[in-house]
Amino acid sequence: MAAIDPRQHPDLIERAAHSLAPQTVQRLREAWTPSSKVVRFAGSPLALDGGSRLETFQVAYETWGELNADKSNAVLVCHALTGDQYVVGENPVTKKPGWWETLIGPGQPIDTRRFYVICANILGGCMGTTGPASINPATGMPYGLGFPVITIGDMVEAQVRLIDHLGIDQLFAVIGGSMGGMQVLEWCARHKQRVFSAMPIATAPRHSSQNIAFHEVGRQAVMADPDWARGDYHGNGKVPRNGLAVARMAAHITYLSEQALHEKFGRNLQNREARTFSFDADFQVESYLRHQGSTFVDRFDANSYLYITRAMDYFDLAAENGDVLANAFRGTRTRFCVVSFTSDWLYPTRDSREIVQALNAVAANVSFVEIESNKGHDAFLLEEPEFFATITGFVNAAAAHRGLQ
Amino acid sequence: MTSRPAPRATACRPNEQAQRTGKCASMTSEPLDIHHAAASPRLDHLLIAEMVSHGSRVLDVGCGDGALLQLLTDTKGVDGRGIELSRERVNACVARGLSVIQGDADRDLADYPDDAFDYVILSLTIQATRYPKTVLENLLRIGHRAIVSFPNFGHWLIRAQLLFTGRMPMTANLPEPWYASPDGHLCTIKDFADLVTKIDAEVEDAVAVNARGRRMGLKRSIRLQNLFGEKAVFVLKRK
């Protein structure tokens, strides 16, 4: 397995940059040469669930804390649909704080003074790990729709290569919320011996029909935008802004509860005294969603959005295991902590309960808590003291069992 | 769980409640003794801990605040798991590092495979289940042994209260009025022994505790235990 820094092999990037619009090159800089650590794999292709292979690929990742001498204190964080590897510290693109600083960092429930925390951008992403915005070595141009359709399992296999590269045999913990939780489950199903403890949070063992439906709305919004150009928008320097923004707006609604929206906005008007009798953003909630849409477009690649939502739609852990979810966990020795939130209607508690039932069916070591919250699916990213207490207790007990200080 | 209307409590700990509130203490003959004996760790917990072998796999159904699981983990080094109905208690258990899930004895025991545990414990909970017989059968399917403790409704004080007052008895072990109590399936020691024979199980060990917190081996006279035992702990196994 050769692992080389792509920055030492810039020919491909230079050639692509030469034939693309300057604003495209600027936009794809993080996808090609991320600000984070990056490892490039060549000579050992990644075989994908869809049947094709990636001959070469790179994984962009970030780490915090120190790996201990026997490499037993590594925690892998799996990010969600639009997340990235910048869990802690300023995000180089948005300049905002890391997306899980509530949970991870010095003195936090997952303490970076104690654990070696790793987070990699997912396969198919646009923050440095190979995805549709990366340069296809065969054409010298961004993959676009030439990128193979991937699965959650493929994302995990790319992470496995990174963990191998870091010389870590067994991860002390794998944690993730939402799509990150799907990766956690896939890790536990495919690489049982390599996961000492697992925290799948606000997630599901499969994408429901409703989940797929929302994603399809988002994808159709992107594809209906003429600037999408069948995925080949990099050449002309444009991006399907409107389509991707609408996709994000629709998705954002699913991340919040009705109560959270009501409490935040109600029917309040946006910077005006009365209705304008137009299609302007009269209501605060409209203005909020438009803002969410437009800021998202600035940081995310439209094709990545298509590929990652597809991977989520294809996720069905039971189907991968003879239609019996428990089969996915048979023989597991991993300690599980499953967490759901009461107002999460995207991946409701019954989805987590299904995971727990499957784990019970193989007598796995499992904790399961439902956290009372009115914040909807996004609760897992927000200030929820009871959630933090749960994770702290679970992690400390698991660390004691693992013999960690 | 959330989709079910008004699920039955499976985790009622009447005597805990009595300890918290001090309610009904005056209604027992020797309230102080039993309360002192039960204070941290609880007497029935100590009895159960004696019956569990070191390093075994244990499932505590209706584990409450996790006190018994903690005791078994600390003193017997067990691989312990718990099920508890109350979300607050589950969260507290997990926060203290115990492997506990939110669940319902009536519904969730069916998920577990045969022989998954050495002991399945149902501590002062069976009287609050909707289907005690099914629960008991599941305990014996999942575990090599089932340890069941319950308040004895045949205790003389309860008999006397019903006889002389003509009202539903309230004691330290049964502190709630009839309309607020989750205990829909109270039984006497004799009743329980009958059920054990009905489900083709056998009693491996049994202990009753009197109002003074004194142990009474059931090997003596079951009639006396049924009269003077406030609580009973049975160890059962499949025939």
Side-chain angles (χ1 to χ4, degrees), chain B residues 154-230:
Chain B
H155 187 256
W156 68 268
L157 186 67
I158 290 175
R159 299 188 199 193
Q161 278 193 34
L162 188 58
L163 182 63
F164 292 116
T165 70
R167 293 175 183 276
M168 279 300 285
M170 286 170 66
T171 68
N173 284 323
L174 305 167
E176 303 283 356
W178 66 272
Y179 53 84
S181 169
D183 299 335
H185 285 114
L186 288 158
C187 69
T188 69
I189 290 175
K190 275 186 174 176
D191 292 329
F192 187 80
D194 281 351
L195 179 59
V196 171
T197 56
K198 274 204 179 69
I199 62 168
D200 236 13
E202 64 180 274
V203 178
E204 194 175 69
D205 195 2
V207 179
V209 183
N210 70 13
R212 289 190 168 81
R214 202 169 290 159
R215 315 169 42 150
M216 319 153 72
L218 277 192
K219 298 263 157 62
R220 286 163 56 194
S221 155
I222 195 164
R223 281 186 57 232
L224 285 178
Q225 318 309 322
N226 201 25
L227 194 56
F228 293 109
E230 278 207 328

Side-chain angles (χ1 to χ4, degrees), chain A residues 342 353 357 360-361 363-370 372 386 389-390 393-394 397, chain B residues 1-2 79 81 87 90-91 94-95 97-102 107 111-113 116:
Chain A
T342 50
R353 196 173 290 284
Q357 283 167 348
N360 282 344
N365 189 318
V366 53
S367 295
F368 165 52
V369 302
E370 184 189 30
E372 174 96 49
E386 207 177 4
T390 296
F394 175 78
Chain B
M1 161 93 18
T2 46
D79 174 9
R81 322 277 170 76
R87 194 168 60 212
V90 172
N91 296 7
V94 178
L98 299 168
S99 297
V100 174
I101 66 166
Q102 203 234 334
R107 192 195 50 191
D111 295 335
Y112 291 88

Side-chain angles (χ1 to χ4, degrees), chain A residues 272-287:
Chain A
R272 63 201 69 191
E273 296 299 315
R275 296 168 294 175
T276 62
F277 289 92
S278 74
F279 295 107
D280 208 15
D282 275 357
F283 293 101
Q284 279 182 4
V285 66
E286 294 175 298
S287 171

Side-chain angles (χ1 to χ4, degrees), chain A residues 22-252:
Chain A
Q23 61 267 48
T24 304
V25 175
Q26 175 65 20
R27 189 164 44 77
L28 297 183
R29 195 170 46 83
E30 280 297 324
W32 296 346
T33 53
S35 309
S36 67
K37 301 181 175 88
V38 60
V39 55
R40 188 165 178 82
F41 299 100
S44 171
L46 190 66
L48 303 173
D49 285 343
S52 55
R53 347 194 281 179
L54 284 175
E55 297 297 332
T56 61
F57 64 101
Q58 68 183 35
V59 176
Y61 67 102
E62 203 47 89
T63 66
W64 299 266
E66 299 289 329
L67 189 60
N68 63 8
D70 60 355
K71 300 186 174 182
S72 60
N73 69 334
V75 175
L76 178 68
V77 179
C78 302
H79 72 70
L81 168 56
T82 64
D84 52 40
Q85 65 272 43
Y86 303 105
V87 178
V88 181
E90 187 187 86
N91 187 298
V93 175
T94 63
K95 308 295 178 199
K96 287 184 175 166
W99 56 268
W100 223 355
E101 288 190 353
T102 49
L103 191 76
I104 298 166
Q108 298 296 70
I110 294 178
D111 193 336
T112 49
R113 295 171 306 193
R114 185 183 191 194
F115 300 110
Y116 178 64
V117 177
I118 308 158
C119 183
N121 186 215
I122 52 166
L123 191 69
C126 54
M127 291 293 278
T129 294
T130 299
S134 305
I135 297 163
N136 181 352
T139 64
M141 294 292 281
Y143 276 102
L145 288 199
F147 194 71
V149 170
I150 49 163
T151 64
I152 301 290
D154 294 331
M155 295 174 187
V156 166
E157 294 309 324
Q159 289 163 0
V160 168
R161 300 294 184 92
L162 171 66
I163 300 308
D164 288 342
H165 168 71
L166 295 173
I168 296 163
D169 188 37
Q170 189 192 52
L171 293 159
F172 165 66
V174 184
I175 182 170
S178 196
M179 188 187 78
M182 296 175 189
Q183 295 162 61
V184 173
L185 295 175
E186 199 71 79
W187 261 98
C188 295
R190 292 184 178 215
H191 302 283
K192 292 182 173 62
Q193 290 79 24
R194 302 193 70 172
V195 184
F196 184 77
S197 67
M199 290 164 269
I201 293 156
T203 193
R206 85 178 64 74
H207 235 215
S208 71
S209 184
Q210 189 187 43
N211 296 146
I212 296 168
F214 273 110
H215 275 176
E216 177 60 0
V217 169
R219 283 191 296 266
Q220 287 302 322
V222 170
M223 291 176 173
D225 188 326
D227 287 339
W228 180 61
R230 294 200 60 75
D232 194 19
Y233 49 86
H234 296 299
N236 59 22
K238 289 184 176 174
V239 287
R241 285 193 71 87
N242 295 333
L244 185 58
V246 169
R248 176 63 170 178
M249 288 165 74
H252 201 83

